[in-house]
Amino acid sequence: MSDPLFDTLKTAVSVHEPETFEMEGFRAAAVLVPLLRAPDGLELLFTIRSSQLSNHAGQISFPGGRVDEGESLWEAARRETFEEVGLKVPDERFLGCLDDHPSPALYTVTPMVALLDWPQKLTLNPAEVDTVFTVPLKTLLELTPYTERRSTKQFSRTLHFYPHGDRLIWGLTGNVLKNLLDLLREANVGLD
């Protein structure tokens, strides 16, 4: 059976040729960008990383992590998402990839976008995630980020910061969000 929303989103995401990032010493990682089909419209799910983690503790992120040997980017994003928050991600809900992003923790992160039914029962792994929250896509499309140029020993990048209430979506997550929102704006998705 045809799903017009899925088809529209898949076209918006897959029409883009994702930019890749390769640097010696960087390992592959994948995050899931969960677009949620909620009763009141599309939402995005974010996690707040556990305050006990050694990297990026307490920061807002998308669920994900490193790619294990023999695993595809998509498989890693699905596995990590289930391990972190218990969110089930069927293969047929995959929409496409966004641009690769470098991480200061020496990962090349590939965002994988999926459209998922919502709500779902979640089971948070407290070793990795303190909490989750969702933001309506329409709200995110109305936000204007501010930017900063940041450098590490390995690379420089422009970071996008999205203030939302008492939270700040920034860094790699802010850059992934900007990439997604730009593609959806170009396709006039979520603007009505």
PDB file of all heavy atoms in Angstrom, residues 35-70:
ATOM      1  N   LEU A  35      12.585  10.497  12.356  1.00  0.00           N
ATOM      2  CA  LEU A  35      11.407  11.318  12.069  1.00  0.00           C
ATOM      3  C   LEU A  35      10.200  10.511  12.529  1.00  0.00           C
ATOM      4  O   LEU A  35      10.010   9.370  12.098  1.00  0.00           O
ATOM      5  CB  LEU A  35      11.291  11.587  10.571  1.00  0.00           C
ATOM      6  CG  LEU A  35      11.993  12.817  10.032  1.00  0.00           C
ATOM      7  CD1 LEU A  35      11.998  12.793   8.513  1.00  0.00           C
ATOM      8  CD2 LEU A  35      11.344  14.083  10.542  1.00  0.00           C
ATOM      9  N   LEU A  36       9.435  11.089  13.413  1.00  0.00           N
ATOM     10  CA  LEU A  36       8.320  10.371  14.030  1.00  0.00           C
ATOM     11  C   LEU A  36       6.996  10.834  13.455  1.00  0.00           C
ATOM     12  O   LEU A  36       6.714  12.035  13.412  1.00  0.00           O
ATOM     13  CB  LEU A  36       8.334  10.603  15.543  1.00  0.00           C
ATOM     14  CG  LEU A  36       9.659  10.306  16.257  1.00  0.00           C
ATOM     15  CD1 LEU A  36       9.559  10.697  17.718  1.00  0.00           C
ATOM     16  CD2 LEU A  36      10.047   8.856  16.087  1.00  0.00           C
ATOM     17  N   ARG A  37       6.171   9.888  13.046  1.00  0.00           N
ATOM     18  CA  ARG A  37       4.819  10.190  12.572  1.00  0.00           C
ATOM     19  C   ARG A  37       3.913  10.194  13.802  1.00  0.00           C
ATOM     20  O   ARG A  37       3.357   9.171  14.198  1.00  0.00           O
ATOM     21  CB  ARG A  37       4.354   9.142  11.569  1.00  0.00           C
ATOM     22  CG  ARG A  37       3.039   9.517  10.885  1.00  0.00           C
ATOM     23  CD  ARG A  37       2.408   8.336  10.175  1.00  0.00           C
ATOM     24  NE  ARG A  37       3.271   7.640   9.265  1.00  0.00           N
ATOM     25  CZ  ARG A  37       3.176   7.732   7.924  1.00  0.00           C
ATOM     26  NH1 ARG A  37       2.267   8.458   7.369  1.00  0.00           N
ATOM     27  NH2 ARG A  37       3.995   7.044   7.167  1.00  0.00           N
ATOM     28  N   ALA A  38       3.796  11.372  14.418  1.00  0.00           N
ATOM     29  CA  ALA A  38       3.019  11.539  15.648  1.00  0.00           C
ATOM     30  C   ALA A  38       1.588  11.960  15.299  1.00  0.00           C
ATOM     31  O   ALA A  38       1.327  12.418  14.178  1.00  0.00           O
ATOM     32  CB  ALA A  38       3.676  12.575  16.547  1.00  0.00           C
ATOM     33  N   PRO A  39       0.660  11.836  16.246  1.00  0.00           N
ATOM     34  CA  PRO A  39      -0.734  12.204  15.963  1.00  0.00           C
ATOM     35  C   PRO A  39      -0.914  13.656  15.491  1.00  0.00           C
ATOM     36  O   PRO A  39      -1.786  13.935  14.677  1.00  0.00           O
ATOM     37  CB  PRO A  39      -1.430  11.981  17.313  1.00  0.00           C
ATOM     38  CG  PRO A  39      -0.599  10.945  17.998  1.00  0.00           C
ATOM     39  CD  PRO A  39       0.808  11.209  17.563  1.00  0.00           C
ATOM     40  N   ASP A  40      -0.047  14.571  15.969  1.00  0.00           N
ATOM     41  CA  ASP A  40      -0.186  15.982  15.591  1.00  0.00           C
ATOM     42  C   ASP A  40       0.790  16.421  14.505  1.00  0.00           C
ATOM     43  O   ASP A  40       0.981  17.611  14.290  1.00  0.00           O
ATOM     44  CB  ASP A  40      -0.017  16.872  16.826  1.00  0.00           C
ATOM     45  CG  ASP A  40      -1.164  16.699  17.815  1.00  0.00           C
ATOM     46  OD1 ASP A  40      -2.299  16.404  17.371  1.00  0.00           O
ATOM     47  OD2 ASP A  40      -0.920  16.845  19.023  1.00  0.00           O
ATOM     48  N   GLY A  41       1.443  15.475  13.851  1.00  0.00           N
ATOM     49  CA  GLY A  41       2.389  15.817  12.790  1.00  0.00           C
ATOM     50  C   GLY A  41       3.765  15.238  13.058  1.00  0.00           C
ATOM     51  O   GLY A  41       3.986  14.553  14.048  1.00  0.00           O
ATOM     52  N   LEU A  42       4.696  15.541  12.172  1.00  0.00           N
ATOM     53  CA  LEU A  42       6.041  14.988  12.285  1.00  0.00           C
ATOM     54  C   LEU A  42       6.811  15.608  13.441  1.00  0.00           C
ATOM     55  O   LEU A  42       6.712  16.809  13.700  1.00  0.00           O
ATOM     56  CB  LEU A  42       6.818  15.234  10.989  1.00  0.00           C
ATOM     57  CG  LEU A  42       6.359  14.436   9.777  1.00  0.00           C
ATOM     58  CD1 LEU A  42       7.104  14.888   8.530  1.00  0.00           C
ATOM     59  CD2 LEU A  42       6.548  12.945  10.000  1.00  0.00           C
ATOM     60  N   GLU A  43       7.593  14.766  14.131  1.00  0.00           N
ATOM     61  CA  GLU A  43       8.471  15.197  15.213  1.00  0.00           C
ATOM     62  C   GLU A  43       9.822  14.537  15.018  1.00  0.00           C
ATOM     63  O   GLU A  43       9.942  13.547  14.301  1.00  0.00           O
ATOM     64  CB  GLU A  43       7.903  14.791  16.583  1.00  0.00           C
ATOM     65  CG  GLU A  43       6.554  15.399  16.888  1.00  0.00           C
ATOM     66  CD  GLU A  43       5.993  14.972  18.249  1.00  0.00           C
ATOM     67  OE1 GLU A  43       6.697  14.262  19.002  1.00  0.00           O
ATOM     68  OE2 GLU A  43       4.858  15.358  18.539  1.00  0.00           O
ATOM     69  N   LEU A  44      10.843  15.093  15.663  1.00  0.00           N
ATOM     70  CA  LEU A  44      12.163  14.467  15.696  1.00  0.00           C
ATOM     71  C   LEU A  44      12.468  14.041  17.115  1.00  0.00           C
ATOM     72  O   LEU A  44      12.146  14.771  18.063  1.00  0.00           O
ATOM     73  CB  LEU A  44      13.245  15.448  15.239  1.00  0.00           C
ATOM     74  CG  LEU A  44      13.585  15.467  13.762  1.00  0.00           C
ATOM     75  CD1 LEU A  44      14.592  16.563  13.461  1.00  0.00           C
ATOM     76  CD2 LEU A  44      14.133  14.139  13.300  1.00  0.00           C
ATOM     77  N   LEU A  45      13.086  12.879  17.264  1.00  0.00           N
ATOM     78  CA  LEU A  45      13.462  12.378  18.575  1.00  0.00           C
ATOM     79  C   LEU A  45      14.941  12.653  18.825  1.00  0.00           C
ATOM     80  O   LEU A  45      15.778  12.401  17.957  1.00  0.00           O
ATOM     81  CB  LEU A  45      13.202  10.878  18.668  1.00  0.00           C
ATOM     82  CG  LEU A  45      13.551  10.249  20.012  1.00  0.00           C
ATOM     83  CD1 LEU A  45      12.398   9.383  20.497  1.00  0.00           C
ATOM     84  CD2 LEU A  45      14.821   9.427  19.919  1.00  0.00           C
ATOM     85  N   PHE A  46      15.238  13.184  20.003  1.00  0.00           N
ATOM     86  CA  PHE A  46      16.607  13.434  20.444  1.00  0.00           C
ATOM     87  C   PHE A  46      16.841  12.717  21.762  1.00  0.00           C
ATOM     88  O   PHE A  46      15.907  12.492  22.534  1.00  0.00           O
ATOM     89  CB  PHE A  46      16.834  14.937  20.677  1.00  0.00           C
ATOM     90  CG  PHE A  46      16.676  15.779  19.454  1.00  0.00           C
ATOM     91  CD1 PHE A  46      15.445  16.336  19.131  1.00  0.00           C
ATOM     92  CD2 PHE A  46      17.754  16.033  18.620  1.00  0.00           C
ATOM     93  CE1 PHE A  46      15.291  17.132  18.007  1.00  0.00           C
ATOM     94  CE2 PHE A  46      17.610  16.827  17.483  1.00  0.00           C
ATOM     95  CZ  PHE A  46      16.375  17.374  17.180  1.00  0.00           C
ATOM     96  N   THR A  47      18.091  12.386  22.039  1.00  0.00           N
ATOM     97  CA  THR A  47      18.459  11.838  23.338  1.00  0.00           C
ATOM     98  C   THR A  47      19.327  12.850  24.069  1.00  0.00           C
ATOM     99  O   THR A  47      19.955  13.711  23.449  1.00  0.00           O
ATOM    100  CB  THR A  47      19.255  10.517  23.206  1.00  0.00           C
ATOM    101  OG1 THR A  47      20.535  10.783  22.635  1.00  0.00           O
ATOM    102  CG2 THR A  47      18.513   9.501  22.367  1.00  0.00           C
ATOM    103  N   ILE A  48      19.340  12.738  25.384  1.00  0.00           N
ATOM    104  CA  ILE A  48      20.344  13.443  26.186  1.00  0.00           C
ATOM    105  C   ILE A  48      21.264  12.356  26.722  1.00  0.00           C
ATOM    106  O   ILE A  48      20.834  11.463  27.453  1.00  0.00           O
ATOM    107  CB  ILE A  48      19.711  14.277  27.304  1.00  0.00           C
ATOM    108  CG1 ILE A  48      18.825  15.364  26.677  1.00  0.00           C
ATOM    109  CG2 ILE A  48      20.803  14.886  28.192  1.00  0.00           C
ATOM    110  CD1 ILE A  48      18.164  16.291  27.657  1.00  0.00           C
ATOM    111  N   ARG A  49      22.519  12.439  26.306  1.00  0.00           N
ATOM    112  CA  ARG A  49      23.488  11.413  26.650  1.00  0.00           C
ATOM    113  C   ARG A  49      23.698  11.338  28.154  1.00  0.00           C
ATOM    114  O   ARG A  49      23.628  12.348  28.852  1.00  0.00           O
ATOM    115  CB  ARG A  49      24.818  11.682  25.937  1.00  0.00           C
ATOM    116  CG  ARG A  49      24.704  11.506  24.425  1.00  0.00           C
ATOM    117  CD  ARG A  49      25.937  11.980  23.698  1.00  0.00           C
ATOM    118  NE  ARG A  49      27.165  11.357  24.173  1.00  0.00           N
ATOM    119  CZ  ARG A  49      27.651  10.205  23.734  1.00  0.00           C
ATOM    120  NH1 ARG A  49      27.008   9.525  22.809  1.00  0.00           N
ATOM    121  NH2 ARG A  49      28.787   9.732  24.207  1.00  0.00           N
ATOM    122  N   SER A  50      23.984  10.152  28.632  1.00  0.00           N
ATOM    123  CA  SER A  50      24.213   9.943  30.059  1.00  0.00           C
ATOM    124  C   SER A  50      25.322  10.860  30.571  1.00  0.00           C
ATOM    125  O   SER A  50      26.339  11.059  29.901  1.00  0.00           O
ATOM    126  CB  SER A  50      24.607   8.485  30.311  1.00  0.00           C
ATOM    127  OG  SER A  50      25.070   8.327  31.641  1.00  0.00           O
ATOM    128  N   SER A  51      25.117  11.391  31.756  1.00  0.00           N
ATOM    129  CA  SER A  51      26.129  12.258  32.369  1.00  0.00           C
ATOM    130  C   SER A  51      27.350  11.446  32.806  1.00  0.00           C
ATOM    131  O   SER A  51      28.375  12.014  33.183  1.00  0.00           O
ATOM    132  CB  SER A  51      25.523  13.007  33.552  1.00  0.00           C
ATOM    133  OG  SER A  51      24.964  12.080  34.464  1.00  0.00           O
ATOM    134  N   GLN A  52      27.258  10.116  32.739  1.00  0.00           N
ATOM    135  CA  GLN A  52      28.369   9.235  33.147  1.00  0.00           C
ATOM    136  C   GLN A  52      29.308   8.880  31.984  1.00  0.00           C
ATOM    137  O   GLN A  52      30.335   8.240  32.208  1.00  0.00           O
ATOM    138  CB  GLN A  52      27.816   7.932  33.748  1.00  0.00           C
ATOM    139  CG  GLN A  52      26.807   8.131  34.858  1.00  0.00           C
ATOM    140  CD  GLN A  52      27.338   9.015  35.978  1.00  0.00           C
ATOM    141  OE1 GLN A  52      28.424   8.800  36.473  1.00  0.00           O
ATOM    142  NE2 GLN A  52      26.563  10.023  36.354  1.00  0.00           N
ATOM    143  N   LEU A  53      28.965   9.264  30.765  1.00  0.00           N
ATOM    144  CA  LEU A  53      29.792   8.896  29.613  1.00  0.00           C
ATOM    145  C   LEU A  53      31.088   9.699  29.580  1.00  0.00           C
ATOM    146  O   LEU A  53      31.139  10.849  30.032  1.00  0.00           O
ATOM    147  CB  LEU A  53      29.014   9.118  28.316  1.00  0.00           C
ATOM    148  CG  LEU A  53      27.847   8.166  28.076  1.00  0.00           C
ATOM    149  CD1 LEU A  53      27.017   8.622  26.884  1.00  0.00           C
ATOM    150  CD2 LEU A  53      28.359   6.746  27.843  1.00  0.00           C
ATOM    151  N   SER A  54      32.131   9.101  28.997  1.00  0.00           N
ATOM    152  CA  SER A  54      33.426   9.786  28.932  1.00  0.00           C
ATOM    153  C   SER A  54      33.477  10.810  27.796  1.00  0.00           C
ATOM    154  O   SER A  54      34.248  11.765  27.863  1.00  0.00           O
ATOM    155  CB  SER A  54      34.555   8.763  28.781  1.00  0.00           C
ATOM    156  OG  SER A  54      34.343   7.957  27.649  1.00  0.00           O
ATOM    157  N   ASN A  55      32.680  10.636  26.742  1.00  0.00           N
ATOM    158  CA  ASN A  55      32.638  11.588  25.626  1.00  0.00           C
ATOM    159  C   ASN A  55      31.245  12.196  25.504  1.00  0.00           C
ATOM    160  O   ASN A  55      30.247  11.484  25.491  1.00  0.00           O
ATOM    161  CB  ASN A  55      32.981  10.891  24.296  1.00  0.00           C
ATOM    162  CG  ASN A  55      34.450  10.585  24.166  1.00  0.00           C
ATOM    163  OD1 ASN A  55      35.294  11.393  24.538  1.00  0.00           O
ATOM    164  ND2 ASN A  55      34.758   9.408  23.656  1.00  0.00           N
ATOM    165  N   HIS A  56      31.196  13.504  25.415  1.00  0.00           N
ATOM    166  CA  HIS A  56      29.955  14.250  25.148  1.00  0.00           C
ATOM    167  C   HIS A  56      28.867  13.980  26.192  1.00  0.00           C
ATOM    168  O   HIS A  56      27.673  13.933  25.855  1.00  0.00           O
ATOM    169  CB  HIS A  56      29.441  13.957  23.735  1.00  0.00           C
ATOM    170  CG  HIS A  56      30.505  14.074  22.682  1.00  0.00           C
ATOM    171  ND1 HIS A  56      31.106  15.264  22.367  1.00  0.00           N
ATOM    172  CD2 HIS A  56      31.091  13.131  21.890  1.00  0.00           C
ATOM    173  CE1 HIS A  56      32.013  15.062  21.417  1.00  0.00           C
ATOM    174  NE2 HIS A  56      32.027  13.778  21.119  1.00  0.00           N
ATOM    175  N   ALA A  57      29.248  13.783  27.433  1.00  0.00           N
ATOM    176  CA  ALA A  57      28.285  13.515  28.514  1.00  0.00           C
ATOM    177  C   ALA A  57      27.292  14.662  28.635  1.00  0.00           C
ATOM    178  O   ALA A  57      27.655  15.835  28.562  1.00  0.00           O
ATOM    179  CB  ALA A  57      29.030  13.330  29.836  1.00  0.00           C
ATOM    180  N   GLY A  58      26.004  14.303  28.785  1.00  0.00           N
ATOM    181  CA  GLY A  58      24.947  15.293  28.994  1.00  0.00           C
ATOM    182  C   GLY A  58      24.550  16.079  27.764  1.00  0.00           C
ATOM    183  O   GLY A  58      23.693  16.956  27.842  1.00  0.00           O
ATOM    184  N   GLN A  59      25.142  15.786  26.621  1.00  0.00           N
ATOM    185  CA  GLN A  59      24.815  16.538  25.409  1.00  0.00           C
ATOM    186  C   GLN A  59      23.622  15.920  24.682  1.00  0.00           C
ATOM    187  O   GLN A  59      23.332  14.736  24.810  1.00  0.00           O
ATOM    188  CB  GLN A  59      26.019  16.600  24.471  1.00  0.00           C
ATOM    189  CG  GLN A  59      27.144  17.448  25.015  1.00  0.00           C
ATOM    190  CD  GLN A  59      28.289  17.587  24.023  1.00  0.00           C
ATOM    191  OE1 GLN A  59      28.251  17.097  22.898  1.00  0.00           O
ATOM    192  NE2 GLN A  59      29.343  18.273  24.452  1.00  0.00           N
ATOM    193  N   ILE A  60      22.965  16.770  23.904  1.00  0.00           N
ATOM    194  CA  ILE A  60      21.850  16.324  23.073  1.00  0.00           C
ATOM    195  C   ILE A  60      22.421  15.639  21.832  1.00  0.00           C
ATOM    196  O   ILE A  60      23.369  16.140  21.219  1.00  0.00           O
ATOM    197  CB  ILE A  60      20.960  17.519  22.685  1.00  0.00           C
ATOM    198  CG1 ILE A  60      20.288  18.079  23.943  1.00  0.00           C
ATOM    199  CG2 ILE A  60      19.934  17.128  21.638  1.00  0.00           C
ATOM    200  CD1 ILE A  60      19.537  19.376  23.725  1.00  0.00           C
ATOM    201  N   SER A  61      21.834  14.502  21.498  1.00  0.00           N
ATOM    202  CA  SER A  61      22.337  13.754  20.343  1.00  0.00           C
ATOM    203  C   SER A  61      21.196  12.982  19.688  1.00  0.00           C
ATOM    204  O   SER A  61      20.079  12.925  20.205  1.00  0.00           O
ATOM    205  CB  SER A  61      23.429  12.777  20.790  1.00  0.00           C
ATOM    206  OG  SER A  61      22.885  11.787  21.638  1.00  0.00           O
ATOM    207  N   PHE A  62      21.519  12.392  18.561  1.00  0.00           N
ATOM    208  CA  PHE A  62      20.671  11.368  17.965  1.00  0.00           C
ATOM    209  C   PHE A  62      21.225  10.024  18.440  1.00  0.00           C
ATOM    210  O   PHE A  62      22.422   9.897  18.689  1.00  0.00           O
ATOM    211  CB  PHE A  62      20.701  11.440  16.441  1.00  0.00           C
ATOM    212  CG  PHE A  62      20.031  12.661  15.874  1.00  0.00           C
ATOM    213  CD1 PHE A  62      20.765  13.644  15.231  1.00  0.00           C
ATOM    214  CD2 PHE A  62      18.660  12.831  15.982  1.00  0.00           C
ATOM    215  CE1 PHE A  62      20.150  14.765  14.706  1.00  0.00           C
ATOM    216  CE2 PHE A  62      18.030  13.952  15.460  1.00  0.00           C
ATOM    217  CZ  PHE A  62      18.774  14.925  14.824  1.00  0.00           C
ATOM    218  N   PRO A  63      20.385   9.004  18.559  1.00  0.00           N
ATOM    219  CA  PRO A  63      20.911   7.702  18.969  1.00  0.00           C
ATOM    220  C   PRO A  63      21.858   7.144  17.905  1.00  0.00           C
ATOM    221  O   PRO A  63      21.631   7.325  16.709  1.00  0.00           O
ATOM    222  CB  PRO A  63      19.662   6.837  19.114  1.00  0.00           C
ATOM    223  CG  PRO A  63      18.583   7.540  18.374  1.00  0.00           C
ATOM    224  CD  PRO A  63      18.941   8.986  18.330  1.00  0.00           C
ATOM    225  N   GLY A  64      22.922   6.500  18.363  1.00  0.00           N
ATOM    226  CA  GLY A  64      23.855   5.911  17.418  1.00  0.00           C
ATOM    227  C   GLY A  64      25.190   5.620  18.060  1.00  0.00           C
ATOM    228  O   GLY A  64      25.385   5.819  19.254  1.00  0.00           O
ATOM    229  N   GLY A  65      26.124   5.158  17.231  1.00  0.00           N
ATOM    230  CA  GLY A  65      27.449   4.827  17.731  1.00  0.00           C
ATOM    231  C   GLY A  65      28.298   4.190  16.660  1.00  0.00           C
ATOM    232  O   GLY A  65      27.969   4.228  15.477  1.00  0.00           O
ATOM    233  N   ARG A  66      29.383   3.573  17.102  1.00  0.00           N
ATOM    234  CA  ARG A  66      30.367   3.034  16.158  1.00  0.00           C
ATOM    235  C   ARG A  66      29.803   1.842  15.379  1.00  0.00           C
ATOM    236  O   ARG A  66      28.924   1.130  15.841  1.00  0.00           O
ATOM    237  CB  ARG A  66      31.646   2.665  16.871  1.00  0.00           C
ATOM    238  CG  ARG A  66      31.594   1.373  17.619  1.00  0.00           C
ATOM    239  CD  ARG A  66      32.981   0.933  18.082  1.00  0.00           C
ATOM    240  NE  ARG A  66      32.854  -0.330  18.764  1.00  0.00           N
ATOM    241  CZ  ARG A  66      32.588  -0.463  20.050  1.00  0.00           C
ATOM    242  NH1 ARG A  66      32.429   0.595  20.799  1.00  0.00           N
ATOM    243  NH2 ARG A  66      32.470  -1.661  20.578  1.00  0.00           N
ATOM    244  N   VAL A  67      30.383   1.665  14.211  1.00  0.00           N
ATOM    245  CA  VAL A  67      30.030   0.542  13.346  1.00  0.00           C
ATOM    246  C   VAL A  67      30.924  -0.629  13.730  1.00  0.00           C
ATOM    247  O   VAL A  67      32.153  -0.514  13.731  1.00  0.00           O
ATOM    248  CB  VAL A  67      30.228   0.915  11.862  1.00  0.00           C
ATOM    249  CG1 VAL A  67      29.929  -0.271  10.960  1.00  0.00           C
ATOM    250  CG2 VAL A  67      29.361   2.112  11.489  1.00  0.00           C
ATOM    251  N   ASP A  68      30.304  -1.755  14.072  1.00  0.00           N
ATOM    252  CA  ASP A  68      31.063  -2.964  14.391  1.00  0.00           C
ATOM    253  C   ASP A  68      31.525  -3.651  13.111  1.00  0.00           C
ATOM    254  O   ASP A  68      30.929  -3.475  12.042  1.00  0.00           O
ATOM    255  CB  ASP A  68      30.206  -3.937  15.217  1.00  0.00           C
ATOM    256  CG  ASP A  68      29.976  -3.441  16.635  1.00  0.00           C
ATOM    257  OD1 ASP A  68      30.735  -2.561  17.107  1.00  0.00           O
ATOM    258  OD2 ASP A  68      29.032  -3.945  17.285  1.00  0.00           O
ATOM    259  N   GLU A  69      32.573  -4.468  13.234  1.00  0.00           N
ATOM    260  CA  GLU A  69      33.109  -5.178  12.082  1.00  0.00           C
ATOM    261  C   GLU A  69      32.019  -6.021  11.415  1.00  0.00           C
ATOM    262  O   GLU A  69      31.254  -6.718  12.087  1.00  0.00           O
ATOM    263  CB  GLU A  69      34.259  -6.084  12.522  1.00  0.00           C
ATOM    264  CG  GLU A  69      35.020  -6.659  11.359  1.00  0.00           C
ATOM    265  CD  GLU A  69      36.277  -7.412  11.783  1.00  0.00           C
ATOM    266  OE1 GLU A  69      36.865  -7.049  12.821  1.00  0.00           O
ATOM    267  OE2 GLU A  69      36.635  -8.369  11.070  1.00  0.00           O
ATOM    268  N   GLY A  70      31.934  -5.913  10.094  1.00  0.00           N
ATOM    269  CA  GLY A  70      30.964  -6.677   9.327  1.00  0.00           C
ATOM    270  C   GLY A  70      29.576  -6.062   9.286  1.00  0.00           C
ATOM    271  O   GLY A  70      28.666  -6.627   8.678  1.00  0.00           O
TER     272      GLY A  70
END
